[in-house]
Amino acid sequence: MTTAPTTRPRLSPKTAVVLVYTAAMCMNGLDSTIVNPALFTIAGDFGQPVSAANTVETAFLVALALALPAAGWLGDRFGTKRVFLGALAVFTAASAACGLAPGLPALVVARAVQGLAGGLLTPVGMTLLFRAFAPHERAKLSKVLIVPTALMPALGPPLGGFLTQHLSWHWLFFVNVPIGIAAVLLGVVGLREHVEGVPGPFDRAGFWLATPGLGLLTYALGFGPSHGWTEPAVAVGAVLGVALLTAAVVHQLRTPEPLLKLRLLAGRAYGTASALAVLTAAGLMGVLFVFPLLYQAALGASALDAGLSVFPEAVGLMLASQVVDRLLPRIGPRRLAVPALLLAAVVFAALAVPGAADSAWLVRGLMFAIGLVLGTAVLTVQLAGFEDIAPPDMGRAMGLFQIVRTLGGALGIAVCAGVIGGHGTGATGPGPYRVAVWVTAALVAVGALIALRLPKDPPQPPPFDDEEAGEEAAQAPAAG
């Protein structure tokens, strides 16, 4: 008597992509905010002023921006699996080095390496994710995309404060190590390699223009509001950053094999989504920057109370993923994004109505609504914008999208800081803060007009059935 051979259940490539991407992006999302509450403690341990400890965050943010221009090219040339897992391994090792740093210079260097790896993780990871799922399947990815981009950055400050107080600041970085090791091992086994190949040489001129330009402009936008726009480092960074990026744009449009495919912006869906990414990031980051200051100016609330007042926004964002999952396949991107952006503009404006900030529960409700309606719009735009991007262009498109969204967020904070007169120190009453909130509402309202260019109909399945798709997948060589 013979028995049929037993087969072990095998992790599907799609499940592996989702698990590895989520783990990596949660680490990256947490690390963007988790260190902030510990800077005072880090400075004390190393016998340095707090201003010197701020270089820990400066190094991370600038290095993150420096990696974005080359991310798409690297993934296409060497394979998205190889680049993603390599960046994840470096990020994990750099996290361990941060926790073991014997002094502030070593911590800053390790943090910069962590930022470089993190700058590759997001665009290359999203390329893996979007290549694994066809356009008509991507609505279900809303739950995957929202966790690292909304919940993790919101959990960063309270988790960072808890670990610093009850363990030590070293554990802010050590928590990444077991997660990173497990994600790398799972990725080695479960991910499939995808190499597009690059027909032309690496665009060195584009790299040396775009990379320092983006880093300098990110530095200037990030630190101009707090340090002053006339400070030499900020002023020089802003001028040089704009000049280099302008030269980079001219070069990218002229060269046959550009590092950043700016011509992708001519596509209706992708170009519209990129413009909306700038406006929504500017509006959201701007209001999250200025409203806690308004809350303190109107109520005399503490910094902790002001920070907690915006936390319901993350809860609303989590719920937005459920809305997009259910409605996007039914009513399409345009019908979902336009009303959501209009509602978001109304809610933004409501935050600035005199007396609104006097009620803590009203503030929490409005913040929850911002997360729900603006989160719905942002997820819809992100999913719809890549519907007409061919797989060979997906890596470059993801890198460019992350660049414009990063600059949009930094620009929103800088504009709001300019309206209120510095990092919340130039205004003597709630009036300028309300004006700044209304500016963010106007940015989102303009986005609603631009969203009219989004596709009307939801993405459709490809013109072949699931059986044919399964046969094609079975015939494809397994790479690893």
Side-chain angles (χ1 to χ4, degrees):
M1 179 178 179
T2 60
T3 58
T6 58
T7 58
R8 292 183 299 173
R10 186 179 178 184
L11 187 68
S12 72
K14 289 183 178 180
T15 302
V17 169
V18 168
L19 291 175
V20 177
Y21 173 86
T22 302
M25 291 301 101
C26 284
M27 291 165 55
N28 207 13
L30 269 178
D31 270 52
S32 65
T33 59
I34 196 172
V35 179
N36 292 339
L39 291 177
F40 186 83
T41 303
I42 291 173
D45 282 358
F46 291 141
Q48 300 286 339
V50 176
S51 58
N54 284 334
T55 56
V56 174
E57 284 306 277
T58 305
F60 181 80
L61 294 174
V62 173
L64 195 82
L66 290 176
L68 288 175
W73 187 91
L74 290 172
D76 289 344
R77 175 64 179 84
F78 299 105
T80 48
K81 173 182 176 179
R82 186 177 292 112
V83 172
F84 182 75
L85 293 183
L88 182 55
V90 171
F91 187 94
T92 303
S95 297
C98 287
L100 296 171
L104 187 60
L107 177 58
V108 170
V109 171
R111 188 72 166 146
V113 174
Q114 199 183 35
L116 287 171
L120 295 177
L121 282 177
T122 301
V124 179
M126 289 187 65
T127 302
L128 273 171
L129 200 63
F130 275 49
R131 280 175 175 162
F133 290 82
H136 70 285
E137 299 176 309
R138 290 175 188 163
K140 68 182 71 173
L141 295 179
S142 57
K143 301 183 187 68
V144 179
L145 295 173
I146 204 66
V147 172
T149 58
L151 186 60
M152 291 300 107
L155 287 178
L159 180 60
F162 176 85
L163 291 175
T164 302
Q165 181 175 347
H166 295 283
L167 294 174
S168 74
W169 64 263
H170 304 273
W171 284 95
L172 306 180
F173 306 104
F174 287 152
V175 294
N176 290 333
V177 176
I179 300 173
I181 292 174
V184 170
L185 294 177
L186 177 60
V188 170
V189 175
L191 295 183
R192 289 181 176 177
E193 185 59 281
H194 186 106
V195 181
E196 285 293 339
V198 180
F202 181 69
D203 180 14
R204 292 183 177 86
F207 175 80
W208 289 114
L209 289 172
T211 300
L214 184 59
L216 288 168
L217 188 58
T218 300
Y219 172 83
L221 290 174
F223 295 95
S226 57
H227 295 166
W229 294 102
T230 57
E231 183 182 77
V234 174
V236 171
V239 173
L240 284 180
V242 171
L244 288 172
L245 286 180
T246 301
V249 169
V250 174
H251 170 78
Q252 299 293 310
L253 293 176
R254 290 179 176 177
T255 187
E257 295 294 340
L259 181 67
L260 301 172
K261 288 191 175 182
L262 298 182
R263 294 183 182 89
L264 292 173
L265 295 171
R268 178 164 181 165
Y270 181 75
T272 301
S274 298
L276 286 171
V278 174
L279 291 171
T280 55
L284 179 60
M285 297 304 294
V287 80
L288 292 180
F289 163 75
V290 75
F291 183 76
L293 301 175
L294 169 61
Y295 197 49
Q296 294 175 80
L299 288 181
S302 68
L304 176 60
D305 290 338
L308 292 176
S309 71
V310 302
F311 185 78
E313 180 262 348
V315 180
L317 279 169
M318 296 296 295
L319 185 58
S321 66
Q322 304 291 332
V323 174
V324 173
D325 186 21
R326 287 167 171 76
L327 293 184
L328 182 58
R330 299 179 183 178
I331 65 177
R334 187 190 306 172
R335 294 190 186 97
L336 186 55
V338 172
L341 287 168
L342 289 174
L343 284 173
V346 171
V347 177
F348 274 44
L351 283 171
V353 172
D358 295 337
S359 171
W361 284 106
L362 178 59
V363 167
R364 293 169 187 146
L366 290 174
M367 279 296 170
F368 172 81
I370 285 177
L372 177 60
V373 294
L374 189 61
T376 296
V378 169
L379 284 172
T380 300
V381 167
Q382 189 167 358
L383 294 171
F386 293 87
E387 180 181 342
D388 57 359
I389 297 295
D393 291 328
M394 188 64 72
R396 310 288 186 93
M398 284 294 179
L400 183 57
F401 191 80
Q402 295 301 321
I403 288 173
V404 298
R405 187 162 64 178
T406 299
L407 289 178
L411 184 61
I413 294 174
V415 169
C416 288
V419 171
I420 63 179
H423 195 68
T425 59
T428 57
Y433 301 105
R434 292 193 176 106
V435 174
V437 175
W438 283 327
V439 169
T440 65
L443 291 172
V444 176
V446 171
L449 297 176
I450 296 177
L452 292 171
R453 289 177 49 84
L454 287 173
K456 180 180 179 182
D457 299 321
Q460 300 299 317
F464 50 81
D465 57 31
D466 292 338
E467 183 178 352
E468 293 174 339
E471 290 176 356
E472 289 185 7
Q475 293 172 1

